[in-house]
Amino acid sequence: MTADTAHAFQTYSVTTHPSQGVTHVAALRAQFAGLGIDGFIVPHEDEHQNEYLPDANERLAWVSGFTGSAGAAFILKDQAILFADGRYTLQSREQTDPSVFEVVDFTTTAIAEQIAAQPRGRVIGYDPRLHSPAALKALQLAATSVGVTLKAVDENPIDLAWGAARPAQPMTPVVAQPLQFAGVPSGDKRTKLAESLRQKGVAAALITAPSSIAWLFNVRGGDVIRSPLPLAQALLKADGTAELFLESAKVTDGLGEWLGNEVILKTPSDIPAALTALSGQGVLVDPNWSSAWWVQAIEGAGATAVPGDDPCLVPRACKNAAEIAGTTEAHIRDGAILSEFLYWVATEAQTALPSEIEVAQKLESLRIASGVVKDLSFDTISGFGPHGALPHYRVTEQSNIRIAPGNLLLVDSGGQYVDGTTDVTRTMAIGTPSAEHKRMFTLVLKGHIALATIRFPAGTTGTHLDVLARQFLWNAGFDYDHGTGHGVGVYLGVHEGPQRIAKALNAYALQPGMIVSNEPGFYKAGDFGIRIENLQYVTEAAPIVGGERPMLGFKNLTWAPIDRSLIEVSLLSEAERRYMDDYHAEVLRLLSPRVKPEVADWLKTVCAPL
């Protein structure tokens, strides 16, 4: 019932402990005097603004014990604050020492508010490599308003305090992403983007986002956990040539030939000279995805830092035909694996009653057995009952519980394949579901269907569509506190911008080829959680019979049965029932030839018309 742990991707041990806060905060504070600061800001992000980090860059986890993927800390000589958002309310308190850290809700203004509360004359340190110019601007405004000084430090005091125990930076080999999956040669991408640089009047663009580098040069790496991304930097020139700054240990045989004569491989130590060569010229840099340190480096080299979007941002999000074809196949393949797992949950697990870890291991073992999965796309969320009510719960050896009849199991998982990245959530009944389970599941399902079937005009953003998924919950007096949909890459990151479906304002219109998740949910604290998630991509605008203008829409990517025992059919409209019947008919058609005979027979039952 468990995966082959020798080949498993995910582990369940806790690598931090609340007690480390006492010693590590003290070690950090011991660095303050030498740096001339009274406090220090510790963001979760690293030098590449990554969400998922290599071990060497887990500075927030080192100082606090908190291992969530979003947060920050503010350490003063006599106070320590940990900022964590609603996804990590319970986890942040469990993983930190309350005698050391005060846990505060993490909002977009939380750190700025704490800075503004400091007495005049205080000096607060920050590492400019870890803050984007956009984020830093708000902190500087808050500091200036109360006479507090923000001081950029040359050496991160956490790195100094961590010392020799700090893990080495990853040196994972960088390899070619075959053209059959990338779809467009790197030279063609660079030529097109170079034209946009010339239109902006800049000589080059500095690119530091690992996903942009992987996409632009048609390469993949493995420096970032659960993502095939290389940590590197690049200068894309307005003539279409480029310089790629990559540690020599990451360069594989044939990489230079793959990149071609118009891309010069250099090491990160060559960056200062490369920037100096652009002295007197404009260099585009993204204030949201590149660190403030790069702006300083550009200006210090005598060039002009021109703020603007990473030129790869939108083109990368709009998948080409080969990428859509590849990820379509990856999702069907992953759907067959997921169906084998769902069959196991519906049969053997109902009596064996495995633990949350065993549930996650079972699904991972099935993906590994496929022989083609490269990694998970994120650590599996396997939450039963009250743990399912924690949207970003990560089971550990300490939190692990067994499933039991009468409640719900929520599993959110995904795989990294050379042709696509998957992310899917299914909520399953263990035993007989209650009337409340069925009602809330069906309200979530109705929102999921509304978002899956909407047609919309060009210029529509995810902000405009978010209410569609929430409307049935709102009308019943409920809501959920996470976004409804995030962008997803193709053998890149499982969280990819700039598109997003959420309440928060998003200025980027949904365009053909963009992949987004569709994942409304409901969470009853201390009891159960529900989420239904498929990935879908934006289709080309097409006319509607009787309409006056063509409309964009969504095409589904994820195929796996949705637990019909949780559907209260009487709450569905005729159109919603028809959608479910059509969806399940397609699941049956696509997946039956790819699963074991007993699973194919089971699919006939669970995919039958409502």
Side-chain angles (χ1 to χ4, degrees):
M1 189 156 55
T2 60
D4 178 356
T5 54
H7 299 93
F9 298 114
Q10 185 172 346
T11 61
Y12 306 92
S13 59
V14 179
T15 57
T16 65
H17 192 273
S19 62
Q20 72 189 50
V22 174
T23 55
H24 290 183
V25 168
L28 172 61
R29 287 171 172 158
Q31 303 293 329
F32 285 2
L35 296 173
I37 59 177
D38 301 305
F40 188 69
I41 303 167
V42 187
H44 174 267
E45 292 78 16
D46 68 358
E47 292 86 338
H48 297 266
Q49 300 299 298
N50 284 316
E51 176 185 15
Y52 300 118
L53 309 177
D55 291 342
N57 297 346
E58 288 279 9
R59 297 179 177 92
L60 181 60
W62 181 86
V63 77
S64 68
F66 173 63
T67 60
S69 64
F74 187 37
I75 314 293
L76 300 164
K77 292 178 179 178
D78 55 356
Q79 184 183 21
I81 300 170
L82 176 75
F83 303 95
D85 67 23
R87 297 173 295 172
Y88 298 110
T89 300
L90 179 61
Q91 179 181 336
S92 60
R93 287 175 167 79
E94 288 180 341
Q95 291 187 318
T96 55
D97 185 338
S99 70
V100 178
F101 281 95
E102 174 190 0
V103 179
V104 173
D105 187 42
F106 191 22
T107 66
T108 56
T109 60
I111 302 177
E113 290 168 357
Q114 291 295 331
I115 291 174
Q118 301 305 308
R120 180 177 293 273
R122 273 201 168 168
V123 179
I124 305 300
Y126 71 94
D127 186 339
R129 296 169 181 80
L130 309 184
H131 298 264
S132 70
L136 188 59
K137 182 177 180 180
L139 303 184
Q140 291 171 327
L141 288 173
T144 302
S145 69
V146 294
V148 169
T149 299
L150 285 189
K151 181 180 179 180
V153 296
D154 292 328
E155 291 187 275
N156 191 304
I158 287 185
D159 297 350
L160 295 173
W162 203 340
R166 185 185 177 204
Q169 289 288 346
M171 294 292 165
T172 311
V174 174
V175 298
Q177 174 70 342
L179 190 58
Q180 69 184 98
F181 303 125
V184 177
S186 173
D188 292 356
K189 294 177 182 179
R190 287 185 279 106
T191 297
K192 187 172 182 179
L193 298 186
E195 173 60 29
S196 71
L197 298 184
R198 292 194 293 272
Q199 291 176 359
K200 290 180 173 66
V202 297
L206 176 66
I207 301 171
T208 62
S211 55
S212 289
I213 289 171
W215 175 85
L216 179 61
F217 296 104
N218 290 339
V219 296
R220 297 296 186 267
D223 292 335
V224 180
I225 187 171
R226 306 289 173 255
S227 303
L229 300 177
L231 298 184
Q233 299 82 26
L235 278 170
L236 173 64
K237 307 293 185 63
D239 62 2
T241 64
E243 295 171 290
L244 176 58
F245 304 96
L246 195 63
E247 294 287 356
S248 299
K250 299 180 184 181
V251 178
T252 53
D253 291 343
L255 182 62
E257 182 180 356
W258 172 256
L259 294 171
N261 295 332
E262 294 184 338
V263 177
I264 302 174
L265 268 174
K266 295 185 175 182
T267 67
S269 62
D270 296 318
I271 295 177
L275 293 177
T276 298
L278 294 168
S279 178
Q281 302 178 80
V283 178
L284 184 72
V285 61
D286 193 320
N288 295 302
W289 295 102
S290 292
S291 72
W293 187 88
W294 287 114
V295 175
Q296 298 169 13
I298 292 169
E299 300 285 357
T304 300
V306 179
D309 278 353
D310 175 342
C312 303
L313 192 64
V314 173
R316 186 188 73 221
C318 297
K319 310 308 177 189
N320 60 52
E323 290 172 319
I324 291 296
T327 200
T328 296
E329 169 59 26
H331 278 81
I332 295 172
R333 183 191 312 122
D334 198 64
I337 294 169
L338 186 61
S339 294
E340 299 269 3
F341 167 76
L342 295 175
Y343 169 76
W344 174 79
V345 172
T347 54
E348 181 182 336
Q350 296 286 332
T351 53
L353 302 178
S355 70
E356 292 171 328
I357 287 179
E358 290 172 326
V359 167
Q361 287 177 325
K362 177 64 177 183
L363 179 51
E364 181 174 340
S365 70
L366 291 169
R367 285 195 169 106
I368 291 172
S370 73
V372 292
V373 73
K374 297 295 187 180
D375 197 348
L376 305 181
S377 56
F378 56 96
D379 284 345
T380 300
I381 297 171
S382 173
F384 175 72
H387 288 165
L390 305 172
H392 282 243
Y393 171 71
R394 293 291 191 276
V395 59
T396 67
E397 293 167 353
Q398 286 73 26
S399 70
N400 189 32
I401 61 175
R402 303 191 79 82
I403 68 175
N407 214 327
L408 305 181
L409 172 65
L410 187 155
V411 177
D412 186 349
S413 72
Q416 290 282 10
Y417 302 91
V418 71
D419 50 357
T421 301
T422 70
D423 180 5
V424 52
T425 307
R426 288 296 182 263
T427 304
M428 297 147 278
I430 306 302
T432 303
S434 68
E436 181 184 25
H437 292 152
K438 296 178 69 172
R439 175 178 180 246
M440 299 313 301
F441 184 90
T442 307
L443 293 179
V444 172
L445 178 61
K446 288 168 71 71
H448 176 90
I449 294 171
L451 184 56
T453 56
I454 188 64
R455 301 291 297 275
F456 52 94
T460 300
T461 72
T463 307
H464 297 128
L465 301 184
D466 182 73
V467 66
L468 293 170
R470 300 178 190 269
Q471 60 181 307
F472 303 102
L473 289 166
W474 283 4
N475 285 337
F478 302 102
D479 199 5
Y480 51 93
D481 295 327
H482 58 73
T484 299
H486 56 84
V488 180
V490 172
Y491 196 38
L492 289 172
V494 74
H495 292 157
E496 178 182 90
Q499 74 276 19
R500 187 165 184 252
I501 300 175
K503 293 178 184 177
L505 180 64
N506 185 287
Y508 294 90
L510 294 167
Q511 298 183 41
M514 285 184 170
I515 300 173
V516 291
S517 63
N518 174 356
E519 51 180 307
F522 170 76
Y523 310 94
K524 186 177 182 180
D527 197 347
F528 65 89
I530 294 166
R531 187 160 64 252
I532 304 169
E533 178 187 17
N534 286 352
L535 299 190
Q536 55 196 36
Y537 67 90
V538 181
T539 58
E540 295 284 350
I544 296 174
V545 176
E548 65 179 9
R549 64 184 69 179
M551 294 286 172
L552 302 165
F554 290 118
K555 185 172 179 58
N556 193 71
L557 283 169
T558 305
W559 302 104
I562 292 171
D563 192 343
R564 59 187 290 132
S565 75
L566 285 168
I567 301 174
E568 182 55 67
V569 180
S570 65
L571 296 179
L572 297 181
S573 68
E574 178 60 35
E576 290 165 340
R577 289 197 297 271
R578 187 164 57 251
Y579 173 87
M580 283 307 308
D581 288 346
D582 290 345
Y583 176 79
H584 274 147
E586 191 68 358
V587 168
L588 185 64
R589 184 186 74 82
L590 291 172
L591 304 187
S592 289
R594 297 177 181 240
V595 297
K596 297 174 183 176
E598 62 269 28
V599 179
D601 288 340
W602 174 77
L603 282 175
K604 292 176 184 177
T605 300
V606 298
C607 293
L610 293 174

